[in-house]
Amino acid sequence: MEFGFGPEDEEFRAEARAWLAAHLTGDFAAAVGRGGPGSEHEGGAQRRAWERELGRDGWIGLGWDSDAYGNRRATLTQQVVWAEEYARVRAPGRYGHIGENLLAPTLLAYGTPEQRDEFLPAIARGEALWCQGYSEPGAGSDLAGVRTRAVRDGADGFRISGQKIWTSLAQDADWCFVLA
C-alpha cells in the first residue's frame, strides 16, 4: 500500500497552517511548547482558553464519525496533516484530549442519543474538560485489575465503591469518567 497526501490533503494543510499562524498569537504565543511531556500541568488557564479557541473553529473532534456536534470531519490523512502541522508549530499541549479522544469515541459508539447531545457539543467547543478515573491502588492503570464497582442505585444512577489514584487532569476537569 502506498501512503501519500493528495491535493485535498495539501489544501487542508494550507488551511490548518494558516489557522495556526493566525491564532497562535498574543497570549497563545506564550503557550507555544507548553503542556507536553514533563509540563502537562503547566499553563492550565491559557491552555483551557486555547481549547475554546480550537473549538470555536471546529478543530476538535476531527476523527469523530459525525460533524453534528460543531466539529469538522476530516479524513484519516487530513487528521495526520493536522497532527503534523500542530506539532510543527509546537502548539500548546491539548488540555481536552481525554474528552475528545477517550470519552467521545465511546459515546459515539455506545452512548445514547441523549448522552451524545449532552456531552459532545461541549467537548467539541472546548468548554468541557474530562479526566479519567482509571488508576487504582495495587492495579495502577492495569484495567484488568480494576476493583471499583458500580451497582445500579435506582433507575437513574449507580453507587460507586472503590478507590482511584492518579486521576489525570482532575484538578481542572469538569467531568470524570470512571472505569468500574
Side-chain angles (χ1 to χ4, degrees), residues 24-135:
L24 279 173
T25 61
D27 289 343
F28 296 133
V32 167
R34 295 182 74 191
S39 65
E40 296 89 346
H41 301 292
E42 290 181 9
Q46 236 174 4
R47 290 173 48 220
R48 189 161 189 160
W50 177 245
E51 287 295 316
R52 291 188 298 272
E53 189 78 4
L54 290 167
R56 269 191 284 280
D57 287 333
W59 292 106
I60 298 173
L62 297 177
W64 298 356
D65 64 1
S66 172
D67 60 2
Y69 305 104
N71 58 302
R72 303 169 187 236
R73 288 201 58 209
T75 65
L76 179 59
T77 53
Q78 290 169 342
Q79 292 171 56
V80 171
V81 164
W82 172 252
E84 287 179 343
E85 292 304 313
Y86 200 88
R88 183 185 62 78
V89 297
R90 299 180 57 238
R94 293 292 310 283
Y95 225 41
H97 68 280
I98 293 172
E100 178 184 11
N101 298 316
L102 297 179
L103 177 73
T106 303
L107 287 179
L108 287 165
Y110 302 106
T112 66
E114 295 80 15
Q115 289 170 326
R116 290 185 206 116
D117 291 344
E118 180 177 355
F119 297 114
L120 294 177
I123 293 170
R125 290 189 307 266
E127 294 174 359
L129 295 182
W130 286 76
C131 66
Q132 60 186 27
Y134 283 8
S135 300

